[in-house]
Structures are given as C-alpha cells and as structure tokens.
Amino acid sequence: ETKEVNIVVVGSGMGGFSAALTAIEEGAKSVVLLEKNNSLGGSTNMAECPAGARPFEYTEEEARAAAAGAQADSYGVSDPMLLYSMFRDAKENFGWLFDTHGVGWTKQGEAPAFYEGGNGKIAIEKLAAAAEKEDGLEVLTETPATQLLLSDEYTVEGVRAKTKDGKYVDYKAKAVVLATGGMSTNKTLLAGYTSQDLDKTIGWGQGQDGDGHLMAEQTAHGRANHLTVDSLFNNVKDFSYDSALGVCVAMQPSNFWVNQDGLRFMNENISSTAVSGKVVETQGSVWSIVDADGIQKYAEGGCQRHYSGFADKLVGNAIDGLQDEVDKAVSGNDECFKADTIADLAKKIGVDADNLADEIEKYNTGTDAEWGKESENMWPIATAPFYAFRISSGMLNTSGGIRINTNAQVVDDRYKPIAGLYAAGVCTSGWDGEVYGNGTCQANALFCGRTAAKHIVKNLL
C-alpha cells in the first residue's frame, strides 16, 4: 500500500514529538509519527533533565561563548555551530516545551534540575495529549520504519513501514525525520561502531537498536561515525535501572572500591559524575565493598547523591527493604558476594587477599593520604558480614552517528544535504566528545526536532 503525506517522523521521544507537533503548528497538513514500540516516548521516559541549554535564554555573545566552552569540554570533537544554534534558540524552544505545552520541571537552586516527577514521562504525556488534538497528525505504535524510499542517494522520497498485522506501507513524503535514539539496546550492532569493551557496560534505554543509523546509511551520508557510549553512571549487572541497592553501592561518595588486584584506584567521590563509568571501564574489574554497618546506614538514609530523578527520593531518606534486596542479590547474582571474613571475600571475588586487607586497614583509619577522600565519607569496613558487588558502567544511551547541519538536515561528509532527510536527538552527532555532555540529549532533541519541522514547512511544503 502507498500513502501520501507531508512528513513522516520516525520515533516518539522528545525529538520525534517536537518535530511532529511543530510541523503541524507551522502549517503542515499531514504528519505521520511512527513508533515501533507498543508505548510512546522511548528513552525520553527515562530522561531526567530538560535543562541542557541553561539558563534557557542567551544573548548572541553568550550563545557563542557557551558553544565555545562546550566544544572545549569535548576536546574539540563537538560541532560549535550546532551548539551555538541550540543555545541561541534555547529561549524559544524551551518556552514552547514548558509554556506552550505545559511540561513541568522542578528547580534545584537557580537552575531547573529535573522533569516534574523526576523523569521525562511528564513530557511525553503532555506532548502525546497535544498530538491527539491535531487532526493532521497521526501517531502509530507498533509500526516500525524499515527503510527509506530513495530516488537516488541524495534524495529521500519517504519511508517504508511495517504495520501491526505484518503488512508494509510506503509513505511517500516531502521529508522524513529520523528521531530513533541510539544503539544502547543492540550491543551486537554497537560493537561494530565502538571500541568500547561492552562486557563492562550495562545497556538500558528503550528500543535504541540503531535502526535510524542504518537508514541514514542508505544515503550518501554513508557509514555513521563518532558514535559514543554514554556511560552516565554506574550500577550492577542484572540490577534494574532504578535499583535502590545499585544507587547505594555504585553511586555514593561513601563507597569503597577496589580493582581486580584488590587495590583502591581513585577517590570514590567521582562515582556520581558523568565520567565515573569511563573510569570504571579502565579497570579489569571494580568491586564495591561494604560491611553490615554500611548496609544499615544506607537503609537508614545514608544516600547522599542521586544519579537521576528516579533516585532523587532516596537521598537522605530511609530505604525500606534494602537488606532484603541485598540478600536476594547475593543469593542469585554471580556478581554479588557475601562472606564472614575479608579473606574469604577476597577469595570469592578473586582478588589478592593481602592487598585487600591492607587497603581496608588504611581506609579504616579515616585518613586517605593516597587519594584525598574526605574523612566523613570513609565508612569503615569492619563489621561482618562483608559484601562485594562488581560495578559496571551504566549506558543509558549512545550519542551520535548521524551527521547533521544546523537545519537538522542529514548531510554527507562534505555537508551536502540529503534532500528530504532530517534527524533529531541522540542519533545525531556533533554534541559530545567521548564523555556525555550533561544535559545535551533532551536539549538537542528539542532543538533538532523543532528546527527540522520549521525548515521542512518553509522549504519543502
């Protein structure tokens, strides 16, 4: 079957919804939004922070300075023109999100910290409700796009999609917007795009299987490159994304970590930063060691930091059932161990027992001459039973791969646009270096989605 529409948007996260709604609001008459999952939002549902382009309003001079600073932070890898454009348009785009569509957010100090409720579900709920009111916007779930329709490698004429009942529909369109997310849920494909040791990472996200990257590769864009693994935080394999125990043993400045040799290798205060996962990946194994008193202190409200809006509620509050979660982990997870002595724990996790004992003895003095950790965060490892949890980096998403210009058009390596093809969100390159840029995901998705829609309506419809 063939259908003719103005625009097809692939993906229903922030990038997809901002593109689809903006296109209708700018004058498009028929927009189809395709979502392969049975629910809307993708990994935006797990996003915490809408505030990548703080403080939401920049002068021309401030926008250029912020772009230069962000590019310097990426060691020159990111695209300063993309960053500048995002900062320049921040006031309008965030006004559209927060004011026009009523997406809520909460403050932390002077800057917005999290979506209302701690995650991006509020954004998807608001934008999906707005989409339902638009006659010209059709939202389809369980309908994956399978390939682009091309007249030649520089001209996209639509997209082929597979319906719920297994049939195929060719949507002939003036433009296609790829807002498909990253590759974090497809490690087999991702292994071909990164040198990262994926055995040390935990992949989360929703439906981020790289399908948008593969579609872009049909065109003169060619192979997607500079695709980075965003190790945003740490956790333990087989723990859920929002595991309270994972927050306690993998994300706190009061953690005590040793590597495969039973040696401490850094100040664990780094555990809640965007680079902590990268640090963990430098070691063969990283073990978080905690004693019975430590588990009790966490249960009584000892968490000091969150790693996302999901975990914010744990900070300073009692955690009911934490010991039950510990007992379950050590009985059924081969990366979690319990022992009555340090020597026995060292044997179970395969580290040098003398090294581990020496490190614990030094740590228990409460003074960290080697790494400079604050004494108040040096919880003694002294009361049996003792626990060890192997830490992995947490990959909520990947970033990059699809090259775009400041109109959000997909381009070849010399930046010649692929007519009719646009991209938005974490499938696009130019925003980050090898380490996640703190807040770029939602901000770039919003900027790209709205920019693409405006450019399409103005130039193609």
Side-chain angles (χ1 to χ4, degrees):
E1 184 179 2
T2 299
K3 296 183 179 181
E4 293 194 6
V5 297
N6 288 163
I7 304 168
V8 178
V9 178
V10 186
S12 67
M14 177 56 65
F17 265 119
S18 61
L21 280 167
T22 299
I24 290 291
E25 293 163 0
E26 293 290 316
K29 301 303 181 184
S30 57
V31 177
V32 173
L33 189 154
L34 304 176
E35 171 54 58
K36 64 191 170 193
N37 296 307
N38 60 11
S39 59
L40 299 172
S43 290
T44 291
N45 289 313
M46 303 174 75
E48 58 181 45
C49 183
R54 302 181 192 184
F56 294 164
E57 183 175 357
Y58 293 80
T59 65
E60 175 73 14
E61 183 179 4
E62 289 169 341
R64 292 189 184 276
Q71 197 207 25
D73 289 342
S74 73
Y75 294 95
V77 174
S78 58
D79 183 338
M81 289 305 294
L82 282 176
L83 291 163
Y84 156 71
S85 300
M86 181 179 72
F87 293 134
R88 178 199 63 199
D89 296 347
K91 180 180 180 181
E92 178 184 354
N93 288 332
F94 282 106
W96 177 87
L97 183 66
F98 297 138
D99 299 330
T100 302
H101 288 288
V103 173
W105 48 272
T106 58
K107 281 189 175 181
Q108 182 177 9
E110 294 300 316
F114 297 116
Y115 281 120
E116 185 178 291
N119 56 71
K121 288 181 181 179
I122 181 67
I124 297 304
E125 289 170 359
K126 293 285 187 179
L127 298 178
E132 288 183 358
K133 299 176 183 178
E134 300 289 353
D135 291 336
L137 175 53
E138 184 179 16
V139 178
L140 300 174
T141 57
E142 298 180 78
T143 309
T146 61
Q147 67 185 78
L148 296 175
L149 304 177
L150 309 176
S151 59
D152 58 61
E153 65 177 359
Y154 278 99
T155 309
V156 172
E157 295 185 331
V159 69
R160 177 168 293 174
K162 187 176 183 180
T163 66
K164 291 181 181 180
D165 59 4
K167 297 180 180 179
Y168 289 89
V169 176
D170 283 353
Y171 287 97
K172 294 285 189 175
K174 298 295 184 180
V176 174
V177 182
L178 300 175
T180 50
M183 286 190 194
S184 61
T185 58
N186 188 346
K187 284 190 174 183
T188 301
L189 181 63
L190 179 57
Y193 290 81
T194 180
S195 60
Q196 179 65 57
D197 184 350
L198 297 177
D199 286 339
K200 298 177 183 176
T201 65
I202 306 168
W204 281 297
Q206 184 176 9
Q208 298 197 71
D209 56 15
D211 48 352
H213 298 81
L214 297 179
M215 282 188 276
E217 289 178 1
Q218 292 179 241
T219 73
H221 175 282
R223 180 174 170 79
N225 54 26
H226 195 245
L227 194 150
T228 66
V229 173
D230 287 346
S231 301
L232 308 187
F233 46 83
N234 305 307
N235 209 320
V236 179
K237 287 184 179 178
D238 296 330
F239 284 20
S240 66
Y241 169 68
D242 56 350
S243 162
L245 181 55
V247 175
C248 292
V249 300
M251 283 280 104
Q252 300 305 312
S254 46
N255 291 158
F256 170 81
W257 291 358
V258 296
N259 64 13
Q260 66 282 347
D261 299 316
L263 300 173
R264 281 184 74 220
F265 58 95
M266 68 175 190
N267 183 335
E268 295 87 353
N269 280 352
I270 203 172
S271 61
S272 64
T273 70
V275 299
S276 63
K278 295 301 182 186
V279 173
V280 166
E281 291 160 8
T282 67
Q283 305 299 303
S285 290
V286 176
W287 296 99
S288 182
I289 311 294
V290 61
D291 71 353
D293 287 346
I295 295 296
Q296 184 63 26
K297 287 175 73 172
Y298 286 128
E300 292 174 351
C303 282
Q304 302 175 49
R305 296 175 181 170
H306 52 71
Y307 63 81
S308 74
F310 287 97
D312 191 39
K313 62 186 177 183
L314 301 180
V315 176
N317 295 317
I319 305 173
D320 293 335
L322 184 63
Q323 185 62 56
D324 291 338
E325 190 173 348
V326 172
D327 294 341
K328 180 180 179 181
V330 298
S331 66
N333 187 323
D334 60 7
E335 304 210 332
C336 306
F337 296 91
K338 173 184 176 181
D340 290 327
T341 67
I342 295 299
D344 191 26
L345 189 67
K347 182 178 180 180
K348 288 184 176 182
I349 64 177
V351 305
D352 186 282
D354 290 336
N355 284 350
L356 181 58
D358 288 345
E359 293 287 3
I360 290 175
E361 183 179 1
K362 288 185 292 184
Y363 194 78
N364 286 352
T365 66
T367 300
D368 187 9
E370 294 174 336
W371 300 104
K373 188 172 182 177
E374 303 90 340
S375 295
E376 61 268 24
N377 287 328
M378 299 178 70
W379 294 5
I381 311 296
T383 305
F386 304 100
Y387 301 94
F389 304 88
R390 195 201 307 261
I391 305 302
S392 294
S393 66
M395 174 179 54
L396 184 57
N397 55 258
T398 61
S399 287
I402 301 178
R403 189 185 310 106
I404 59 170
N405 62 18
T406 55
N407 296 319
Q409 294 171 287
V410 176
V411 295
D412 70 8
D413 60 354
R414 293 295 185 181
Y415 278 69
K416 179 180 178 180
I418 312 301
L421 186 60
Y422 298 74
V426 299
C427 65
T428 63
S429 288
W431 308 101
D432 293 319
E434 294 305 310
V435 176
Y436 173 61
N438 286 324
T440 50
C441 294
Q442 292 294 285
N444 106 55
L446 177 63
F447 164 76
C448 290
R450 285 180 44 76
T451 298
K454 292 177 183 180
H455 192 268
I456 293 166
V457 172
K458 181 179 179 180
N459 295 281
L460 299 181
L461 301 188

